[in-house]
Amino acid sequence: MGLVVAVWLLVLPSLVLGRIDREWVVSKYNVVRTSLIDNETTPLQVGNGNFAFGVDNTGMQSFLPFNTLSSWAWHNDSLPTNGELTDYTGVPMLTHGRNVSYDIPDPDLPEVSQWLIGNPNRINLGRIGLRYKGSTLAASEITEPRQELDVWNGVITSTFKVAGEQVKVVTQGDFESDAVAFQIESDLVLSGELLVELDFPYPPIHSTTYKYEVFVGVYDFPENHTTAIVPPVHKDTAHIYHKLQETNYFVNLRWPSSSPLTLSQPKNATGLATHRYTLSPHRRTSEVSFTALFSPDKQTPASPSTIHRRNIHGWNEYWNNGGFVDLTSSSNPAAGELQRRIILSQYHVRVNSAATGQSPQESGLMNNGWYGKFHMEMVVWHNAHWATWGRQEFFDDIFPGVYETLLPSSLERATKMGWEGARWPKMTEVTTGTSSPGGINGLLLWQQPHPMYLAMLAYQASPTNETLHRWDRVITATADYMASYAWKNESSGYYDLGPPSYGVTENTPPEETTNLAYEIAYWRYALDVAITWKAKLDHHIPTKWKTVAENLAPPPQAGGLYAVYEGLNESWWSDRSLTDDPRSLIMLQGILPDTAVVDPVVAKKTADKVWEVWADEDIRGWGRPVLAINSARIGERERAVYHLTAYEFWRFDDAGFAIRGGDGGTPPPFMPGNAGFLYAVAYMAAGWAGSEGRAPGFPQDGSWDVKHEGLLKAL
């Protein structure tokens, strides 16, 4: 208990070696592309965390229909024809002598189960590209492409030639609305050969085929939805209304009144042209600029010049505030690439992950992995970095709001399953709060204690009664469930977790998996936090919380090392099905702060064993960040940096997006990779509760000069 209480101490932001020239460092890592990209290349994006617009080489969505995604834009497929949604009640599994219905696909209701997995799903709000001589501009018509993302200012500048004529497109997002602004310059605009084209896809039926959508939506069901220009069209504004069954919204357009545009659609358009519109200059000019604002409401957007000013101001403010790490004086040959990843990751999380009221999905706002839904077990990896990088406002925009939104459905879920408190879902969205059925989804455990970890990050940033009260309801419901879920084993006298259960690595037999080491330790940590939280509020502490916390089964060991779950003997280290991903044991002294039940000596020996058996080619996803954190915690600084700089194995693409790797089958980006990487960097640069010295996660061999400012210590 004392170790948990210790982390309540406020850790002040670190400031090392004075002020860093942030603009100079950031601008060194602008992204430049000089070759045409294809559909396997991550697009560059502009956006604000709730909205993002991905671009091809034209700075628009001309020859590649990349996505325009928003936090509010969701859609439901047509209802299944074989079964009613209300027929689904989960799948019963024997749980300590009683049948409990878990969120698992029902083999007797395959269509209903798949509908619940895939709905609601994010929609692509529309494509904005270029049209040349009456047809959508093709990649084969483009030569001499050059595109640069100005990271400091959040501006994408694209130049290329079409028929030998130069074209320049400047693309910017807006931090204050779901808008994107363009400025297009070319003599082809003057001649009338180059126009702006807008087109609207229709969401496909989300079977397992569409588990990962690089291009969200299809263009071959024009009769299933409607679009129309909403009169009147003013001198400087126009509006397109898009209706897809229950999802309706506007594309609000605005241009300078001194350079008016005409929004039009071919008369009697049919087939693929049904939802295709053009923007063209009202009078002869070589330059076009306009704003496109996507919204459920008809609005007047900000002008392109206004968005230009406030976009640059917003990005400059983002870079000048919060934490920063400067490795540019380091002589280590790996420092340059590490710095590039630090800078570009900060850009990408601002565009893809700075949402309001919800956690980002795995692929951010670039494409639809998992139908656009987020994973509750990943919210720490997605968002903890906001706190340690001194950007608490983005953390507070999500927490505890996402839990408060999901609380009613989570309370209902626990009650139906025969437990108290709130059982948090695994894969979900905030519209319905439904826990999407899945073989793993219904049995995963480690998302349940997350509120306590996140609450501690919030309290570290602001140790006030306001923070305590703000999180109290969520913590209470969480602890009530955790104490209720733990089962009293009369034979051992301990409280057990599972079976059935899945742990972090999702690779153990669920009906045999009891007392997963990491989950046991995390359960104890979270209950201790809840008890301390109540004590600080001078509230009654439920006896059940204390009883379960003090009598949880210990994390299992075999041969003097921690084992993944109870019942394994030493031979498990030769079982490839387990050792191809033993990260849960690393997490005992990785992301998890010191707890009363984790022996640091045993944890260190276990980490050393994992270092021996976990092959580089098997480490994927957020495995590297947690390995780096663990290595720093146990004093293995060289090992910590190795994990962040194993560039041959842990790849970030040319735009700085983390690639998941392994057998996940998911297209980039993998946002928990970028965000987890940032968390590990802050951990190693600023330290953690109890760490001492400068940059305690980096080797002191003279090759690393780690300057940082504005960071907070981790828990």
Side-chain angles (χ1 to χ4, degrees):
M1 177 73 73
L3 291 174
V4 172
V5 174
V7 300
W8 292 91
L9 297 175
L10 174 64
V11 184
L12 295 175
S14 300
L15 180 63
V16 177
L17 297 182
R19 192 74 179 161
I20 297 169
D21 187 345
R22 297 189 179 198
E23 182 176 2
W24 178 80
V25 176
V26 170
S27 299
K28 283 171 60 69
Y29 298 98
N30 286 352
V31 180
V32 177
R33 287 176 165 172
T34 56
S35 299
L36 287 176
I37 65 175
D38 58 26
N39 62 358
E40 295 186 358
T41 309
T42 52
L44 301 183
Q45 297 170 289
V46 295
N48 58 31
N50 283 300
F51 170 84
F53 185 90
V55 304
D56 61 24
N57 292 87
T58 66
M60 305 179 81
Q61 299 160 343
S62 301
F63 62 90
L64 290 170
F66 287 124
N67 302 312
T68 307
L69 300 180
S70 174
S71 294
W72 56 261
W74 296 81
H75 167 80
N76 280 324
D77 299 331
S78 299
L79 292 173
T81 57
N82 185 7
E84 301 290 333
L85 297 183
T86 52
D87 293 340
Y88 177 85
T89 57
V91 174
M93 297 183 70
L94 191 63
T95 304
H96 301 302
R98 65 184 182 92
N99 272 327
V100 175
S101 289
Y102 292 89
D103 297 320
I104 295 172
D106 188 337
D108 295 328
L109 294 167
E111 287 189 25
V112 171
S113 297
Q114 179 56 43
W115 193 96
L116 291 169
I117 294 169
N119 287 276
N121 46 78
R122 289 187 196 262
I123 60 170
N124 184 350
L125 291 168
R127 180 180 70 83
I128 305 177
L130 292 172
R131 187 173 182 85
Y132 176 61
K133 289 188 173 180
S135 300
T136 301
L137 182 65
S140 60
E141 296 174 297
I142 295 172
T143 60
E144 300 182 31
R146 187 185 188 280
Q147 186 171 68
E148 181 169 0
L149 167 61
D150 177 350
V151 184
W152 181 259
N153 293 309
V155 178
I156 299 174
T157 301
S158 309
T159 59
F160 50 94
K161 289 185 177 179
V162 176
E165 295 290 340
Q166 186 80 6
V167 181
K168 178 182 178 181
V169 179
V170 178
T171 312
Q172 293 181 281
D174 184 25
F175 280 174
E176 297 183 20
S177 65
D178 288 4
V180 57
F182 304 95
Q183 181 177 333
I184 306 165
E185 300 175 24
S186 177
D187 286 344
L188 294 174
V189 175
L190 181 64
S191 68
E193 296 172 285
L194 194 68
L195 306 176
V196 174
E197 180 177 87
L198 298 92
D199 203 356
F200 298 87
Y202 185 77
I205 296 174
H206 288 85
S207 67
T208 54
T209 304
Y210 292 98
K211 187 175 179 180
Y212 311 114
E213 292 177 87
V214 175
F215 301 130
V216 179
V218 292
Y219 292 85
D220 47 3
F221 296 108
E223 69 282 358
N224 288 6
H225 56 132
T226 62
T227 55
I229 298 174
V230 181
V233 176
H234 296 289
K235 183 179 181 181
D236 60 351
T237 58
H239 310 273
I240 300 173
Y241 183 59
H242 190 192
K243 186 174 183 180
L244 308 93
Q245 297 171 339
E246 84 289 358
T247 306
N248 311 309
Y249 62 92
F250 292 85
V251 183
N252 302 287
L253 301 167
R254 184 175 178 183
W255 45 82
S257 56
S258 58
S259 302
L261 302 178
T262 299
L263 175 66
S264 60
Q265 182 186 35
K267 291 184 178 180
N268 302 316
T270 60
L272 296 180
T274 303
H275 304 292
R276 196 167 292 162
Y277 299 79
T278 59
L279 271 177
S280 55
H282 190 65
R283 53 176 175 259
R284 287 174 57 83
T285 179
S286 60
E287 181 177 324
V288 165
S289 62
F290 69 97
T291 299
L293 168 65
F294 298 84
S295 172
D297 305 312
K298 184 180 177 183
Q299 299 182 36
T300 299
S303 67
S305 60
T306 297
I307 287 183
H308 172 77
R309 288 193 302 271
R310 72 188 188 195
N311 170 69
I312 291 176
H313 173 78
W315 275 107
N316 294 172
E317 186 176 50
Y318 173 75
W319 289 114
N320 279 316
N321 293 324
F324 202 85
V325 174
D326 176 10
L327 305 175
T328 56
S329 297
S330 299
S331 60
N332 193 289
E337 172 61 12
L338 191 61
Q339 184 75 72
R340 182 185 81 94
R341 296 183 178 198
I342 291 170
I343 296 301
L344 295 181
S345 291
Q346 289 179 87
Y347 180 87
H348 296 318
V349 295
R350 182 64 183 89
V351 170
N352 288 278
S353 303
T356 301
Q358 61 183 294
S359 184
Q361 59 165 313
E362 187 174 88
S363 54
L365 293 171
M366 183 175 290
N367 56 60
N368 264 6
W370 303 103
Y371 312 99
K373 300 182 181 184
F374 65 90
H375 294 196
M376 287 295 286
E377 83 276 19
M378 296 306 297
V379 298
V380 169
W381 284 113
H382 275 292
N383 302 297
H385 70 91
W386 294 124
T388 55
W389 281 80
R391 295 192 168 113
Q392 192 66 28
E393 67 271 25
F394 301 114
F395 182 97
D396 291 340
D397 280 345
I398 298 171
F399 303 114
V402 65
Y403 285 109
E404 292 169 336
T405 300
L406 295 170
L407 187 56
S409 60
S410 298
L411 290 166
E412 182 182 3
R413 182 179 303 110
T415 298
K416 286 182 177 179
M417 299 176 79
W419 289 302
E420 299 172 12
R423 180 181 172 96
W424 304 113
K426 192 276 189 197
M427 176 177 142
T428 191
E429 32 61 49
V430 296
T431 304
T432 69
T434 299
S435 182
S436 300
I440 291 167
N441 295 8
L443 304 177
L444 201 67
L445 295 184
W446 69 290
Q447 74 271 30
Q448 304 302 334
H450 281 348
M452 282 69 158
Y453 187 94
L454 295 162
M456 292 296 282
L457 285 172
Y459 191 82
Q460 174 177 273
S462 181
T464 65
N465 281 332
E466 181 182 356
T467 302
L468 293 172
H469 284 287
R470 188 176 182 210
W471 280 86
D472 183 54
R473 187 176 177 218
V474 168
I475 285 178
T476 300
T478 303
D480 282 343
Y481 168 77
M482 294 174 67
S484 175
Y485 175 83
W487 176 72
K488 177 68 176 293
N489 185 330
E490 297 297 342
S491 298
S492 67
Y494 290 125
Y495 282 88
D496 291 342
L497 303 183
S501 63
Y502 268 117
V504 169
T505 50
E506 305 173 359
N507 61 354
T508 64
E511 294 184 353
E512 303 170 22
T513 300
T514 304
N515 295 333
L516 291 142
Y518 178 68
E519 281 71 10
I520 282 285
Y522 202 9
W523 228 258
R524 174 61 188 271
Y525 168 79
L527 286 172
D528 283 349
V529 168
I531 292 166
T532 305
W533 205 271
K534 287 294 187 184
K536 282 192 162 292
L537 284 167
D538 198 24
H539 286 181
H540 168 73
I541 300 170
T543 302
K544 185 69 176 290
W545 295 5
K546 292 181 178 180
T547 301
V548 172
E550 294 169 2
N551 295 281
L552 274 172
Q557 296 186 30
L561 303 177
Y562 284 117
V564 177
Y565 64 98
E566 191 172 280
L568 296 175
N569 58 36
E570 294 177 65
S571 66
W572 84 266
W573 290 101
S574 300
D575 184 347
R576 278 285 297 158
S577 68
L578 296 176
T579 59
D580 71 343
D581 193 351
R583 78 181 70 191
S584 63
L585 300 182
I586 289 296
M587 294 171 72
L588 289 167
Q589 255 196 328
I591 193 168
L592 185 64
D594 292 338
T595 69
V597 297
V598 175
D599 184 326
V601 175
V602 178
K604 170 67 164 64
K605 290 179 180 178
T606 306
D608 290 340
K609 180 69 173 179
V610 170
W611 170 252
E612 293 177 18
V613 303
W614 199 4
D616 274 316
E617 57 270 20
D618 291 333
I619 302 171
R620 55 191 178 272
W622 45 272
R624 293 284 177 189
V626 76
L627 282 163
I629 290 172
N630 169 262
S631 299
R633 281 275 296 280
I634 64 176
E636 296 287 349
R637 299 182 182 213
E638 288 77 11
R639 193 188 296 177
V641 166
Y642 172 79
H643 285 303
L644 291 190
T645 59
Y647 302 141
E648 178 184 355
F649 301 101
W650 192 22
R651 295 183 297 119
F652 283 43
D653 67 15
D654 71 307
F657 287 105
I659 297 173
R660 182 183 187 275
D663 58 357
T666 59
F670 182 66
M671 294 311 299
N674 289 98
F677 165 78
L678 288 175
Y679 195 46
V681 169
Y683 208 106
M684 293 166 60
W688 56 94
S691 68
E692 297 179 355
R694 176 185 171 193
F698 284 84
Q700 304 297 301
D701 59 5
S703 71
W704 290 99
D705 185 358
V706 182
K707 301 181 180 72
H708 65 86
E709 57 192 25
L711 301 178
L712 283 173
K713 280 190 173 186
L715 297 177

mmCIF file of all heavy atoms in Angstrom, residues 400-416 421-425 430-434 473-474 477:
data_model
loop_
_atom_site.group_PDB
_atom_site.id
_atom_site.type_symbol
_atom_site.label_atom_id
_atom_site.label_comp_id
_atom_site.label_asym_id
_atom_site.label_seq_id
_atom_site.Cartn_x
_atom_site.Cartn_y
_atom_site.Cartn_z
ATOM 1 N N PRO A 400 -12.108 11.740 -17.552
ATOM 2 C CA PRO A 400 -12.808 10.452 -17.516
ATOM 3 C C PRO A 400 -14.050 10.393 -18.381
ATOM 4 O O PRO A 400 -14.872 9.486 -18.253
ATOM 5 C CB PRO A 400 -13.179 10.322 -16.042
ATOM 6 C CG PRO A 400 -13.416 11.739 -15.602
ATOM 7 C CD PRO A 400 -12.415 12.576 -16.363
ATOM 8 N N GLY A 401 -14.208 11.371 -19.311
ATOM 9 C CA GLY A 401 -15.436 11.464 -20.089
ATOM 10 C C GLY A 401 -15.823 10.194 -20.814
ATOM 11 O O GLY A 401 -17.001 9.818 -20.848
ATOM 12 N N VAL A 402 -14.835 9.517 -21.406
ATOM 13 C CA VAL A 402 -15.165 8.303 -22.149
ATOM 14 C C VAL A 402 -15.739 7.239 -21.217
ATOM 15 O O VAL A 402 -16.672 6.506 -21.583
ATOM 16 C CB VAL A 402 -13.927 7.779 -22.917
ATOM 17 C CG1 VAL A 402 -12.826 7.329 -21.978
ATOM 18 C CG2 VAL A 402 -14.324 6.641 -23.848
ATOM 19 N N TYR A 403 -15.217 7.174 -19.996
ATOM 20 C CA TYR A 403 -15.750 6.215 -19.034
ATOM 21 C C TYR A 403 -17.140 6.634 -18.544
ATOM 22 O O TYR A 403 -18.021 5.793 -18.339
ATOM 23 C CB TYR A 403 -14.798 6.071 -17.848
ATOM 24 C CG TYR A 403 -13.560 5.268 -18.184
ATOM 25 C CD1 TYR A 403 -12.318 5.884 -18.291
ATOM 26 C CD2 TYR A 403 -13.631 3.897 -18.386
ATOM 27 C CE1 TYR A 403 -11.183 5.156 -18.597
ATOM 28 C CE2 TYR A 403 -12.504 3.161 -18.688
ATOM 29 C CZ TYR A 403 -11.275 3.785 -18.793
ATOM 30 O OH TYR A 403 -10.154 3.059 -19.096
ATOM 31 N N GLU A 404 -17.344 7.913 -18.352
ATOM 32 C CA GLU A 404 -18.663 8.392 -17.922
ATOM 33 C C GLU A 404 -19.725 8.090 -18.979
ATOM 34 O O GLU A 404 -20.854 7.711 -18.659
ATOM 35 C CB GLU A 404 -18.591 9.889 -17.621
ATOM 36 C CG GLU A 404 -17.744 10.210 -16.393
ATOM 37 C CD GLU A 404 -17.446 11.688 -16.254
ATOM 38 O OE1 GLU A 404 -17.472 12.414 -17.268
ATOM 39 O OE2 GLU A 404 -17.171 12.126 -15.118
ATOM 40 N N THR A 405 -19.346 8.243 -20.247
ATOM 41 C CA THR A 405 -20.278 7.930 -21.328
ATOM 42 C C THR A 405 -20.618 6.443 -21.362
ATOM 43 O O THR A 405 -21.770 6.055 -21.596
ATOM 44 C CB THR A 405 -19.675 8.353 -22.678
ATOM 45 O OG1 THR A 405 -19.435 9.767 -22.659
ATOM 46 C CG2 THR A 405 -20.613 8.024 -23.825
ATOM 47 N N LEU A 406 -19.623 5.608 -21.120
ATOM 48 C CA LEU A 406 -19.811 4.160 -21.186
ATOM 49 C C LEU A 406 -20.310 3.555 -19.876
ATOM 50 O O LEU A 406 -20.587 2.354 -19.819
ATOM 51 C CB LEU A 406 -18.493 3.487 -21.572
ATOM 52 C CG LEU A 406 -17.960 3.810 -22.965
ATOM 53 C CD1 LEU A 406 -16.548 3.276 -23.137
ATOM 54 C CD2 LEU A 406 -18.872 3.245 -24.042
ATOM 55 N N LEU A 407 -20.440 4.389 -18.834
ATOM 56 C CA LEU A 407 -20.794 3.843 -17.524
ATOM 57 C C LEU A 407 -22.178 3.182 -17.493
ATOM 58 O O LEU A 407 -22.311 2.057 -16.978
ATOM 59 C CB LEU A 407 -20.697 4.948 -16.471
ATOM 60 C CG LEU A 407 -20.875 4.522 -15.010
ATOM 61 C CD1 LEU A 407 -19.891 3.435 -14.623
ATOM 62 C CD2 LEU A 407 -20.720 5.728 -14.082
ATOM 63 N N PRO A 408 -23.231 3.807 -18.024
ATOM 64 C CA PRO A 408 -24.548 3.144 -17.944
ATOM 65 C C PRO A 408 -24.557 1.763 -18.594
ATOM 66 O O PRO A 408 -25.070 0.798 -18.009
ATOM 67 C CB PRO A 408 -25.477 4.128 -18.664
ATOM 68 C CG PRO A 408 -24.807 5.456 -18.513
ATOM 69 C CD PRO A 408 -23.343 5.162 -18.600
ATOM 70 N N SER A 409 -24.015 1.645 -19.786
ATOM 71 C CA SER A 409 -24.013 0.345 -20.463
ATOM 72 C C SER A 409 -23.096 -0.639 -19.754
ATOM 73 O O SER A 409 -23.360 -1.855 -19.748
ATOM 74 C CB SER A 409 -23.593 0.504 -21.925
ATOM 75 O OG SER A 409 -22.299 1.063 -22.026
ATOM 76 N N SER A 410 -22.035 -0.155 -19.123
ATOM 77 C CA SER A 410 -21.109 -1.048 -18.421
ATOM 78 C C SER A 410 -21.691 -1.548 -17.108
ATOM 79 O O SER A 410 -21.459 -2.689 -16.707
ATOM 80 C CB SER A 410 -19.778 -0.325 -18.190
ATOM 81 O OG SER A 410 -19.180 0.029 -19.431
ATOM 82 N N LEU A 411 -22.443 -0.694 -16.434
ATOM 83 C CA LEU A 411 -23.158 -1.138 -15.243
ATOM 84 C C LEU A 411 -24.197 -2.202 -15.605
ATOM 85 O O LEU A 411 -24.343 -3.225 -14.930
ATOM 86 C CB LEU A 411 -23.844 0.049 -14.563
ATOM 87 C CG LEU A 411 -22.938 1.071 -13.871
ATOM 88 C CD1 LEU A 411 -23.711 2.345 -13.554
ATOM 89 C CD2 LEU A 411 -22.341 0.495 -12.591
ATOM 90 N N GLU A 412 -24.909 -1.963 -16.694
ATOM 91 C CA GLU A 412 -25.918 -2.919 -17.143
ATOM 92 C C GLU A 412 -25.271 -4.244 -17.540
ATOM 93 O O GLU A 412 -25.798 -5.320 -17.240
ATOM 94 C CB GLU A 412 -26.689 -2.331 -18.322
ATOM 95 C CG GLU A 412 -27.796 -3.236 -18.844
ATOM 96 C CD GLU A 412 -28.511 -2.634 -20.040
ATOM 97 O OE1 GLU A 412 -28.105 -1.541 -20.502
ATOM 98 O OE2 GLU A 412 -29.472 -3.253 -20.522
ATOM 99 N N ARG A 413 -24.128 -4.170 -18.200
ATOM 100 C CA ARG A 413 -23.420 -5.391 -18.625
ATOM 101 C C ARG A 413 -23.041 -6.240 -17.418
ATOM 102 O O ARG A 413 -23.252 -7.456 -17.398
ATOM 103 C CB ARG A 413 -22.189 -4.999 -19.437
ATOM 104 C CG ARG A 413 -21.382 -6.162 -19.989
ATOM 105 C CD ARG A 413 -20.191 -5.676 -20.803
ATOM 106 N NE ARG A 413 -20.637 -4.820 -21.886
ATOM 107 C CZ ARG A 413 -20.423 -3.508 -21.953
ATOM 108 N NH1 ARG A 413 -19.760 -2.897 -20.977
ATOM 109 N NH2 ARG A 413 -20.871 -2.807 -22.967
ATOM 110 N N ALA A 414 -22.449 -5.603 -16.411
ATOM 111 C CA ALA A 414 -22.043 -6.347 -15.219
ATOM 112 C C ALA A 414 -23.251 -6.971 -14.526
ATOM 113 O O ALA A 414 -23.201 -8.136 -14.092
ATOM 114 C CB ALA A 414 -21.291 -5.422 -14.261
ATOM 115 N N THR A 415 -24.341 -6.233 -14.424
ATOM 116 C CA THR A 415 -25.540 -6.756 -13.755
ATOM 117 C C THR A 415 -26.077 -7.987 -14.475
ATOM 118 O O THR A 415 -26.420 -9.000 -13.845
ATOM 119 C CB THR A 415 -26.625 -5.666 -13.698
ATOM 120 O OG1 THR A 415 -26.141 -4.558 -12.936
ATOM 121 C CG2 THR A 415 -27.893 -6.199 -13.054
ATOM 122 N N LYS A 416 -26.151 -7.913 -15.799
ATOM 123 C CA LYS A 416 -26.658 -9.046 -16.573
ATOM 124 C C LYS A 416 -25.783 -10.285 -16.407
ATOM 125 O O LYS A 416 -26.261 -11.417 -16.497
ATOM 126 C CB LYS A 416 -26.750 -8.669 -18.051
ATOM 127 C CG LYS A 416 -27.903 -7.746 -18.383
ATOM 128 C CD LYS A 416 -27.967 -7.464 -19.870
ATOM 129 C CE LYS A 416 -29.178 -6.601 -20.217
ATOM 130 N NZ LYS A 416 -29.242 -6.305 -21.673
ATOM 131 N N GLY A 421 -20.980 -3.395 -10.004
ATOM 132 C CA GLY A 421 -20.126 -2.376 -10.604
ATOM 133 C C GLY A 421 -20.234 -2.322 -12.114
ATOM 134 O O GLY A 421 -21.252 -2.675 -12.712
ATOM 135 N N ALA A 422 -19.160 -1.834 -12.749
ATOM 136 C CA ALA A 422 -19.135 -1.606 -14.198
ATOM 137 C C ALA A 422 -18.109 -2.518 -14.857
ATOM 138 O O ALA A 422 -16.919 -2.456 -14.523
ATOM 139 C CB ALA A 422 -18.804 -0.146 -14.497
ATOM 140 N N ARG A 423 -18.560 -3.342 -15.767
ATOM 141 C CA ARG A 423 -17.666 -4.172 -16.574
ATOM 142 C C ARG A 423 -17.459 -3.441 -17.896
ATOM 143 O O ARG A 423 -18.360 -3.328 -18.722
ATOM 144 C CB ARG A 423 -18.262 -5.557 -16.818
ATOM 145 C CG ARG A 423 -17.364 -6.468 -17.668
ATOM 146 C CD ARG A 423 -18.023 -7.825 -17.897
ATOM 147 N NE ARG A 423 -17.302 -8.645 -18.855
ATOM 148 C CZ ARG A 423 -16.404 -9.577 -18.538
ATOM 149 N NH1 ARG A 423 -16.130 -9.803 -17.246
ATOM 150 N NH2 ARG A 423 -15.800 -10.285 -19.462
ATOM 151 N N TRP A 424 -16.233 -2.913 -18.094
ATOM 152 C CA TRP A 424 -15.931 -2.115 -19.272
ATOM 153 C C TRP A 424 -15.830 -3.006 -20.509
ATOM 154 O O TRP A 424 -15.341 -4.126 -20.430
ATOM 155 C CB TRP A 424 -14.642 -1.325 -19.075
ATOM 156 C CG TRP A 424 -14.670 -0.456 -17.861
ATOM 157 C CD1 TRP A 424 -13.914 -0.587 -16.745
ATOM 158 C CD2 TRP A 424 -15.521 0.671 -17.632
ATOM 159 N NE1 TRP A 424 -14.228 0.389 -15.819
ATOM 160 C CE2 TRP A 424 -15.217 1.170 -16.347
ATOM 161 C CE3 TRP A 424 -16.516 1.308 -18.376
ATOM 162 C CZ2 TRP A 424 -15.863 2.275 -15.792
ATOM 163 C CZ3 TRP A 424 -17.169 2.406 -17.834
ATOM 164 C CH2 TRP A 424 -16.844 2.879 -16.556
ATOM 165 N N PRO A 425 -16.278 -2.507 -21.657
ATOM 166 C CA PRO A 425 -16.207 -3.302 -22.892
ATOM 167 C C PRO A 425 -14.787 -3.404 -23.395
ATOM 168 O O PRO A 425 -13.875 -2.760 -22.877
ATOM 169 C CB PRO A 425 -17.082 -2.501 -23.861
ATOM 170 C CG PRO A 425 -16.951 -1.091 -23.377
ATOM 171 C CD PRO A 425 -16.859 -1.173 -21.875
ATOM 172 N N VAL A 430 -18.560 5.120 -28.626
ATOM 173 C CA VAL A 430 -19.341 5.795 -27.593
ATOM 174 C C VAL A 430 -20.791 6.025 -27.979
ATOM 175 O O VAL A 430 -21.593 6.438 -27.146
ATOM 176 C CB VAL A 430 -18.686 7.144 -27.203
ATOM 177 C CG1 VAL A 430 -17.319 6.926 -26.586
ATOM 178 C CG2 VAL A 430 -18.585 8.083 -28.414
ATOM 179 N N THR A 431 -21.148 5.739 -29.230
ATOM 180 C CA THR A 431 -22.528 5.953 -29.650
ATOM 181 C C THR A 431 -23.470 4.989 -28.937
ATOM 182 O O THR A 431 -24.512 5.371 -28.412
ATOM 183 C CB THR A 431 -22.660 5.790 -31.173
ATOM 184 O OG1 THR A 431 -21.750 6.685 -31.824
ATOM 185 C CG2 THR A 431 -24.083 6.087 -31.627
ATOM 186 N N THR A 432 -23.112 3.718 -28.929
ATOM 187 C CA THR A 432 -23.958 2.700 -28.299
ATOM 188 C C THR A 432 -23.349 2.127 -27.031
ATOM 189 O O THR A 432 -24.072 1.643 -26.165
ATOM 190 C CB THR A 432 -24.204 1.532 -29.266
ATOM 191 O OG1 THR A 432 -22.978 0.812 -29.474
ATOM 192 C CG2 THR A 432 -24.740 2.030 -30.598
ATOM 193 N N GLY A 433 -22.018 2.137 -26.917
ATOM 194 C CA GLY A 433 -21.361 1.526 -25.773
ATOM 195 C C GLY A 433 -21.382 0.014 -25.804
ATOM 196 O O GLY A 433 -20.995 -0.644 -24.834
ATOM 197 N N THR A 434 -21.791 -0.552 -26.920
ATOM 198 C CA THR A 434 -21.870 -2.006 -27.046
ATOM 199 C C THR A 434 -20.478 -2.618 -27.038
ATOM 200 O O THR A 434 -19.551 -2.073 -27.623
ATOM 201 C CB THR A 434 -22.587 -2.391 -28.359
ATOM 202 O OG1 THR A 434 -23.911 -1.862 -28.329
ATOM 203 C CG2 THR A 434 -22.642 -3.891 -28.541
ATOM 204 N N ARG A 473 -16.685 8.612 -9.219
ATOM 205 C CA ARG A 473 -17.774 7.729 -9.641
ATOM 206 C C ARG A 473 -17.243 6.588 -10.512
ATOM 207 O O ARG A 473 -17.648 5.429 -10.366
ATOM 208 C CB ARG A 473 -18.825 8.538 -10.412
ATOM 209 C CG ARG A 473 -20.078 7.741 -10.750
ATOM 210 C CD ARG A 473 -21.110 8.620 -11.417
ATOM 211 N NE ARG A 473 -22.285 7.842 -11.803
ATOM 212 C CZ ARG A 473 -22.968 8.042 -12.917
ATOM 213 N NH1 ARG A 473 -22.591 8.990 -13.759
ATOM 214 N NH2 ARG A 473 -24.027 7.313 -13.200
ATOM 215 N N VAL A 474 -16.350 6.916 -11.435
ATOM 216 C CA VAL A 474 -15.790 5.887 -12.324
ATOM 217 C C VAL A 474 -14.945 4.899 -11.530
ATOM 218 O O VAL A 474 -15.032 3.679 -11.729
ATOM 219 C CB VAL A 474 -14.961 6.556 -13.441
ATOM 220 C CG1 VAL A 474 -14.138 5.523 -14.205
ATOM 221 C CG2 VAL A 474 -15.877 7.312 -14.388
ATOM 222 N N ALA A 477 -17.251 2.533 -9.419
ATOM 223 C CA ALA A 477 -17.908 1.494 -10.223
ATOM 224 C C ALA A 477 -16.907 0.449 -10.686
ATOM 225 O O ALA A 477 -17.217 -0.754 -10.740
ATOM 226 C CB ALA A 477 -18.609 2.130 -11.418
#
